[in-house]
Amino acid sequence: MEITLNGYYTLIFATLVLLLGRFMIKNIKVLEDFNIPEPVVGGLVAAMIVYALNIVWGYSFNFHQGLQTATMLMFFASIGLSADFGRLKAGGTPLLIFLAVVSVFIVLQDVVGVGMASALGLDPLLGLVTGSISLTGGHGTAGAWGVVLEEEYGVVGATTLGIAVATYGLVAGGIVGGPVARRLIKNLGLTPTPDNPNPSNVEKVAGAQSLYSTKHDEDGDHRQEEMFEKPDNIRLITASSMIETLALFAAALAFADIMTIVAEGTWFQLPTFVWALAAGVIIRNALTMVFNFDMFDRAIDVIGNASLSLFLAMALLSLKLWQLTDLAGPVLIILLVQTLVMILYAYFVTFKIMGKDYDAAVLSAGHCGFGMGATPTAIANMQAVTDRYLPSPKAFLIVPMVGAFFVDIINATVLQIFTKIPF
């Protein structure tokens, strides 16, 4: 029996899923320790209930797709509207180098995913799902690309698999980041002395502290640490600022809709959510650089976080878990290999290219966090390291900007190239 729910009931169930996730995280410590998002926790429980109803009584639920699509586009537009390229100056050369390191790893992650999938007899496009779509991209990107792969490429179960892989990545990224950094720091000869650091330790991070203080003052705000990695922070918003911000979102979504139609069948055909992200980037930087417009970032943050949570809740409600039964074994093998690749890359590439010093070790822990999971995982990894050893302002300046904003732009570009390759 199929039960179709309209937009009202879809929204009601989505908010109930979010409340359930919040309740579980507050009462189950391991979920909080690994920074598992509220919609993922509540959504997976809801998906299991829907699965049980299907197996026992044959019920199947269809939720309102238009609302889910709208929230997805709003989320990606918020990423674009937050990606102020002027902030690249705050990170300087180290940020650009780290962006290059991350970009190469995204390509490597997809090469490994596609190669392993082909070797195990799976659709190569499922390799992208077990690659940067879900791991570097996280749940939002997994849900968005899952829909594209299912509808345009006929990849069955791509959304369900993407959500599952992204959840694995959050846990794995939180597990491997700390040990990688501690091993590197041990090789540097630093000891855990947070209360009484020795002079040599202080000297090694003094340069980074100075850089951070200067650049942070020039930037004039701390919002790169507050967007998607701190969604519960209180932000003061007025009705007029919210209306202005909604107008920006409307412009981004309208641009995305028009470009999707115009580009259909051409060489620059892109998924609608990629156009939404690109539109946000164009609008943001055109207004700030050309017209010196003062963007109201707090409203963008709130709309972006709320849209992401609602989108994930609805995506998880729509999961069909029975589609994954035949993929469990091969996918687990691919994910274990991806985890090993992340560890080796962070240890031998990220650390060395970023300077082979204490800051580079902390950056390696952060890279494990969002290379496998998400920016909150990266922040948690770095906090665990700096709480035990020394502060690393340089790492806390670079990772949030790369992980929360710029990596999604790079990932979307890389994935668009990979999907055009005839496997």
Side-chain angles (χ1 to χ4, degrees):
M1 179 184 295
E2 282 196 1
I3 300 175
T4 301
L5 301 175
N6 62 26
Y8 299 121
Y9 288 103
T10 298
L11 182 59
I12 290 171
F13 276 104
T15 53
L16 290 176
V17 163
L18 296 177
L19 293 174
L20 173 63
R22 181 180 301 178
F23 174 81
M24 293 181 65
I25 288 175
K26 286 184 177 179
N27 291 276
I28 303 176
K29 190 174 186 300
V30 66
L31 298 176
E32 183 178 7
D33 291 343
F34 283 107
N35 300 290
I36 308 298
E38 293 174 2
V40 174
V41 175
L44 288 176
V45 173
M48 292 299 295
I49 294 173
V50 171
Y51 178 66
L53 290 174
N54 179 268
I55 295 298
V56 177
W57 289 294
Y59 286 108
S60 179
F61 294 88
N62 296 318
F63 294 92
H64 194 273
Q65 289 300 309
L67 186 60
Q68 180 179 329
T69 300
T71 52
M72 175 188 71
L73 295 177
M74 293 280 281
F75 163 62
F76 280 97
S78 73
I79 294 176
L81 289 170
S82 301
D84 186 352
F85 288 135
R87 291 198 179 98
L88 288 171
K89 299 177 182 178
T93 302
L95 187 144
L96 295 176
I97 295 174
F98 191 63
L99 268 175
V101 170
V102 170
S103 300
V104 172
F105 178 73
I106 290 174
V107 176
L108 176 62
Q109 204 169 51
D110 286 330
V111 169
V112 171
V114 171
M116 289 292 297
S118 300
L120 293 170
L122 300 178
D123 188 331
L125 289 175
L126 283 178
L128 295 179
V129 179
T130 57
S132 70
I133 284 179
S134 305
L135 296 177
T136 295
H139 289 87
T141 304
W145 274 102
V147 173
V148 173
L149 293 178
E150 289 176 347
E151 295 182 353
E152 297 185 15
Y153 297 91
V155 181
V156 178
T159 301
T160 307
L161 178 62
I163 297 296
V165 171
T167 303
Y168 166 87
L170 279 176
V171 177
I175 291 175
V176 304
V180 166
R182 283 192 288 272
R183 177 71 178 177
L184 291 169
I185 292 170
K186 183 179 180 180
N187 292 341
L188 290 173
L190 302 183
T191 55
T193 54
D195 297 326
N196 187 27
N198 63 57
S200 62
N201 286 354
V202 174
E203 183 179 351
K204 288 183 179 181
V205 297
Q209 178 70 49
S210 175
L211 169 69
Y212 176 82
S213 298
T214 302
K215 297 298 184 182
H216 214 54
D217 291 341
E218 290 175 358
D219 190 47
D221 68 281
H222 301 260
R223 71 170 305 279
Q224 67 267 21
E225 299 173 10
E226 294 181 353
M227 191 181 177
F228 297 110
E229 58 270 25
K230 293 185 180 179
D232 293 328
N233 278 12
I234 295 175
R235 295 165 171 85
L236 301 177
I237 299 173
T238 64
S240 60
S241 63
M242 180 62 78
I243 292 172
E244 289 178 4
T245 305
L246 284 173
L248 297 178
F249 275 89
L253 267 59
F255 177 86
D257 186 58
I258 294 171
M259 290 305 301
T260 300
I261 297 172
V262 171
E264 186 175 0
T266 66
W267 64 270
F268 60 97
Q269 179 177 340
L270 299 172
T272 305
F273 72 87
V274 177
W275 283 120
L277 190 155
V281 172
I282 295 170
I283 292 172
R284 168 77 193 219
N285 291 280
L287 289 177
T288 55
M289 295 181 181
V290 179
F291 300 100
N292 199 27
F293 183 77
D294 187 14
M295 302 288 287
F296 205 83
D297 289 315
R298 288 173 293 188
I300 295 173
D301 295 353
V302 169
I303 295 173
N305 279 293
S307 298
L308 175 60
S309 295
L310 289 170
F311 164 63
L312 289 177
M314 287 182 275
L316 288 161
L317 278 170
S318 304
L319 288 184
K320 294 178 174 59
L321 294 175
W322 50 89
Q323 295 178 343
L324 288 181
T325 52
D326 296 334
L327 298 175
V331 166
L332 181 59
I333 295 173
I334 296 174
L335 291 179
L336 291 176
V337 173
Q338 290 284 27
T339 304
L340 179 60
V341 170
M342 179 75 260
I343 293 171
L344 295 176
Y345 191 90
Y347 193 92
F348 291 105
V349 179
T350 305
F351 175 69
K352 290 185 178 180
I353 292 181
M354 293 311 298
K356 296 187 291 186
D357 55 11
Y358 175 75
D359 288 319
V362 180
L363 281 168
S364 298
H367 192 188
C368 288
F370 73 77
M372 289 294 293
T375 307
T377 307
I379 299 298
N381 283 352
M382 296 192 300
Q383 286 175 340
V385 175
T386 55
D387 286 347
R388 182 171 173 80
Y389 294 92
L390 292 166
S392 179
K394 177 180 177 181
F396 278 91
L397 173 66
I398 292 175
V399 167
M401 283 196 289
V402 174
F405 310 124
F406 301 113
V407 73
D408 289 289
I409 300 172
I410 297 169
N411 196 22
T413 304
V414 171
L415 288 171
Q416 190 60 32
I417 295 172
F418 267 87
T419 54
K420 299 300 182 185
I421 299 175
F423 294 112

